[in-house]
Amino acid sequence: MNAHESRDRENWLNIAAESLAGSQLSFQVQYWGINPSHYDNPLHKHSFYEACYVRDGEGIYQDHDTEYPLRKDTLFLSKPGILHQIRSENGLDLSYVAFEIDEANSAPEVVASYRLLLDSSNCIRYGIGETPAALIWRALIGQTRQNDSLSDSLLNSTAQSLLLSLCSAFSEENEEERTLPPRKLSHHSMRSAVLYIRDNLSADLSVKDVARYMHLSVRSLSRLFHENLQVSCQDYIQREKMKRAVHLIRHTDLGFSEIAERAGYGSVHYFTRVFTKIYGVSPGKYRSGQ
C-alpha cells in the first residue's frame, strides 16, 4: 500500500467512521490513521485512548517508564494521560485509531465495565494476527478499497465492532507474552539506569559499566537498586538478560550463538550453562518444549 492510497483510505475512515453509535456503547473517534512507514514521534500524551496495530515492521513503544518491543501483529494501547512514544529505525506499517467513549449515548454500567477492562489491563498484546481485533481491523481497511460504492453504514458498523473488540483483546492476559513494567520508580537516576541496561544488554554489561554511565559509585548504584527494586544491580542485569534470551528463543528462529550475543553473553557455552542452571533444561530443550 503506497502513501497516496493510505491517505485515501484514512480520509474515508475519518469521514465515514467518526461517530460510532451502538445499542449500549457509543464512541467518538478523534482520528483514524494508516501509515505504512511510521518512524519516530516525540514523547507525548493524550486525553483519549489510542489503539495501534503493527501490521509489519519492528520498533519500540515506550509507555511511561517502560519500553516494549514492537513487531508484526502487535496491538498496543496508549491510555489517557500516559506519556508514550513510538520509535522505529526502518519504519512500521501501522494502523491506529484515537477514540473516546460517548458517555451521553452509552449505558453507564457498560461504560464503567469497558473503561475498567481497558485501564486495568496490560497495554500491549503480541501475536494477535488471528484474534477478532486484528481480523476486524484488516477487514475495515479492506472495506476502504472500493470506497466509491461502499456503504457508509457497513464501514461504520465494522469500526464499531473493532472498538468493542479491543476490550476483549486487552482483557485476555497472556503471561508468556506480557512484559511486566518494573516497580514504580521513585528516582530519575533509577529510571535512567534501568533504561541504559535495557538498551545496552548486548554489550555484556557489568555493574561497573552502569555505575560509570550514571556517574555513581558502585556502592551508590547498588543502594539505588536495593531501595527501589529490592534486588541488586547485578541480579537485575542477569534477569533482563534471561528475559531477552527467553523472548528470542520463543519468538525467533535465531541460533543460540546469536541469541547469546543479543542477550549479552560473550560465550554460547556460558549462556547455555547459566540458562540450564536457572531453568533446569538447556536452551534447545526449552525451545522444543521438552
Side-chain angles (χ1 to χ4, degrees):
M1 187 188 304
N2 59 41
H4 179 72
E5 183 182 2
S6 296
R7 284 195 296 271
D8 287 345
R9 297 188 183 193
E10 182 179 298
N11 290 338
W12 189 260
L13 278 168
N14 281 304
I15 292 171
E18 182 179 15
S19 296
L20 307 176
S23 59
Q24 290 188 303
L25 194 59
S26 299
F27 302 94
Q28 180 64 43
V29 173
Q30 304 299 333
Y31 52 80
W32 293 92
I34 303 172
N35 190 340
S37 301
H38 189 291
Y39 288 88
D40 300 347
N41 59 15
L43 195 64
H44 63 290
K45 59 184 176 181
H46 304 303
S47 60
F48 42 79
Y49 295 99
E50 184 181 60
C52 301
Y53 173 34
V54 181
R55 302 179 70 194
D56 205 358
E58 295 183 348
I60 295 291
Y61 172 62
Q62 180 176 337
D63 185 277
H64 192 46
D65 295 327
T66 307
E67 291 187 346
Y68 299 90
L70 297 177
R71 57 180 182 270
K72 183 179 179 180
D73 285 330
T74 299
L75 179 69
F76 58 100
L77 181 70
S78 303
K79 301 172 186 178
I82 300 298
L83 281 169
H84 60 279
Q85 182 182 37
I86 301 169
R87 303 193 299 274
S88 176
E89 292 184 2
N90 299 314
L92 295 164
D93 186 344
L94 197 67
S95 299
Y96 50 93
V97 57
F99 64 96
E100 293 179 282
I101 303 170
D102 183 359
E103 297 191 28
N105 295 300
S106 302
E109 64 276 10
V110 180
V111 170
S113 297
Y114 186 89
R115 181 172 283 124
L116 178 63
L117 281 170
L118 286 189
D119 289 347
S120 63
S121 67
N122 187 34
C123 70
I124 195 162
R125 288 291 311 279
Y126 295 102
I128 65 149
E130 299 306 314
T131 64
L135 294 173
I136 295 171
W137 211 317
R138 292 200 294 269
L140 182 67
I141 294 173
Q143 287 175 5
T144 63
R145 289 176 180 169
Q146 297 178 344
N147 54 33
D148 54 338
S149 59
L150 180 69
S151 166
D152 284 0
S153 62
L154 176 59
L155 188 66
N156 196 280
S157 177
T158 305
Q160 166 80 5
S161 298
L162 171 62
L163 296 192
L164 290 174
S165 74
L166 295 178
C167 191
S168 60
F170 283 106
S171 65
E172 295 169 0
E173 296 293 351
N174 186 329
E175 291 295 336
E176 291 186 354
E177 292 290 339
R178 188 172 58 172
T179 303
L180 294 175
R183 180 186 297 268
K184 183 175 177 60
L185 304 178
S186 59
H187 197 286
H188 173 72
S189 295
M190 186 72 247
R191 290 196 295 272
S192 297
V194 165
L195 291 176
Y196 178 74
I197 290 169
R198 291 179 183 171
D199 289 344
N200 295 275
L201 275 181
S202 61
D204 194 13
L205 284 175
S206 68
V207 176
K208 287 184 178 179
D209 293 330
V210 181
R212 188 179 303 114
Y213 171 78
M214 297 298 301
H215 302 290
L216 295 172
S217 67
V218 170
R219 177 175 295 182
S220 296
L221 181 68
S222 299
R223 184 168 59 249
L224 196 64
F225 270 83
H226 277 293
E227 289 177 352
N228 287 276
L229 300 181
Q230 287 73 56
V231 297
S232 69
C233 182
Q234 182 60 50
D235 286 346
Y236 184 84
I237 293 172
Q238 178 71 18
R239 188 172 71 187
E240 290 299 302
K241 285 184 175 184
M242 277 294 118
K243 185 188 296 184
R244 177 170 293 181
V246 167
H247 173 82
L248 292 171
I249 290 172
R250 286 175 173 168
H251 304 293
T252 75
D253 295 324
L254 292 172
F256 294 118
S257 294
E258 177 71 12
I259 289 174
E261 182 179 343
R262 293 193 183 191
Y265 292 94
S267 161
V268 67
H269 301 294
Y270 178 61
F271 162 67
T272 300
R273 192 160 61 247
V274 174
F275 189 97
T276 303
K277 181 179 179 181
I278 293 175
Y279 290 99
V281 295
S282 68
K285 289 184 178 180
Y286 187 92
R287 173 174 272 172
S288 65
Q290 297 181 12

